Amino acid sequence: MKLLIPAATGIEAVVKRQLNTLGYSDTRAINGRVIVPYCSWHDVARLNMFLRSGERVLIQLAEFPANDFDELYDGVASVNWSDFVSRDGRVIVVTKAVNSNLFAHHSIQSVGKKAIVSVLQQKYGTLLESGEDYKVELDITNDLCSVNLDTTGVGLHKRGYRSIAYDAPLKETTAAALIDLSVWNPDKAFTDLFCGSGTLPIEAALKALKIAPGLNRKFAYQDWACVGEKAYELALQEANDIRVERPLNIVGGDVNPRAIEIANFHAKQAGVDKHIKFNLRSAQEFVTSSSYGVNISNPPYGERLGDLEQAREIARDMGKLYRTLDKWNFYFLSPVETFERDFGRHADKKRYIYNAGIRCSYYSFNGPKPPKI
């Protein structure tokens, strides 16, 4: 099977590196998705279990030109749907259309569902649609339709530990990508001076302890008769086998007592509360005994919380702090265009990442490398 891994704009390369680490080197990214060829159900289970920054795992069932609805119907009907969908399965069709002749989502959805039902009725007769869900995506881009079956269900950013809502949360998948784009490793101190509900410190701890991000949740494919239990069980066994215990120096800070309360609860839910310390403290008051470390933060900004002047003042304060911690690396995700000027220096590296639909820059301010021991 060919798998597609959707990724947020700006972190496709991170997903490719994560796939490579998992042993999938033959990949390529196109249209915001990373393609993984030659896969089995075991691979479906592994990628759902271990990917930290992919949004979901899709099986590409067909790809064909779809210049009109006749081509769309015939292409969808060419799939042997009974290989995947059981008689009582409930098929849900979602659509995506970009730069194509077919753009009316309701009509695309209707024609696609009609084609799928027609094929299944030839195999099963009457369909019950009272059982497990099968979400089918019809992605029509530049008049080329990709028929994709979603094996994940609820998106992979839903790890299961973040159950209490808090203002302006950073998605878990994006937080994991920010960490992967930094120089942090578990031997260094890690801080998030604007930790909110604790996502960045928790994701850092999960990575350092090699805790699979999908360990405490369920996936859509687990209900499908075409898969069986073995695929998930093998992935679960691998996840349990690779976990490690080690000392970590991970700290989160925030000025909001409610944020610290939620962060502590979420860390406990994730099973990493013993490895993270959350402090009720402003970023400007941060002190540390660690000579080398990494701070990664998604500070408040005008379009999200507070106002623009507050965001600019934060950047100025962080620039002052950076100059006192001259052996640390600082990373900030922000849409504020004046961030570098307010911070007081040009970033050593900058890349664009979308966060909650907002185009942000991920600024890297580097410190020196620690001496080799």
Side-chain angles (χ1 to χ4, degrees), residues 73-141:
Y73 182 94
D74 292 342
V76 175
S78 70
V79 176
N80 191 357
W81 288 100
S82 61
D83 286 348
F84 301 93
V85 181
S86 62
R87 180 179 181 179
D88 60 350
R90 188 168 76 100
V91 175
I92 303 163
V93 178
V94 297
T95 64
K96 176 185 175 184
V98 178
N99 193 31
S100 297
N101 290 329
L102 301 180
F103 57 86
H105 292 279
H106 179 74
S107 298
I108 295 170
Q109 183 182 41
S110 178
V111 170
K113 179 67 177 286
K114 183 178 179 181
I116 296 170
V117 168
S118 175
V119 173
L120 290 174
Q121 284 178 334
Q122 292 177 31
K123 174 70 175 182
Y124 299 127
T126 303
L127 302 179
L128 303 177
E129 290 199 275
S130 59
E132 61 275 14
D133 288 345
Y134 298 82
K135 187 164 77 172
V136 177
E137 178 193 71
L138 302 181
D139 177 353
I140 307 177
T141 302

Side-chain angles (χ1 to χ4, degrees), residues 161-164 166 195-202 250-254 256-281:
Y161 66 77
R162 202 169 74 180
S163 56
I164 302 177
Y166 187 74
C195 71
S197 57
T199 305
L200 274 161
I202 292 170
I250 299 178
V251 176
D254 204 282
N256 189 328
R258 179 58 175 161
I260 297 301
E261 180 184 351
I262 293 173
N264 277 309
F265 176 77
H266 286 168
K268 188 173 183 179
Q269 292 283 94
V272 296
D273 52 307
K274 296 179 181 178
H275 298 274
I276 305 173
K277 184 177 181 180
F278 289 106
N279 295 322
L280 182 62
R281 183 173 60 190

Side-chain angles (χ1 to χ4, degrees), residues 57-72:
V57 179
L58 310 174
I59 302 173
Q60 187 181 62
L61 302 180
E63 188 176 40
F64 51 83
N67 294 284
D68 55 42
F69 285 113
D70 288 337
E71 288 187 336
L72 176 65

Side-chain angles (χ1 to χ4, degrees), residues 293-350:
V294 173
N295 175 79
I296 305 177
S297 292
N298 175 219
Y301 42 80
E303 294 182 63
R304 189 185 63 154
L305 296 174
D307 56 29
L308 181 59
E309 184 49 43
Q310 178 198 17
R312 296 193 65 181
E313 184 63 29
I314 287 172
R316 286 190 283 267
D317 288 341
M318 291 302 95
K320 294 175 185 176
L321 181 62
Y322 170 79
R323 287 185 283 277
T324 67
L325 299 173
D326 58 354
K327 294 179 182 178
W328 276 59
N329 293 72
F330 274 53
Y331 298 83
F332 296 99
L333 184 68
S334 175
V336 179
E337 295 182 358
T338 60
F339 191 94
E340 289 170 287
R341 183 166 72 243
D342 297 328
F343 190 85
R345 60 163 288 184
H346 287 294
D348 295 287
K349 186 175 290 187
K350 180 173 72 172

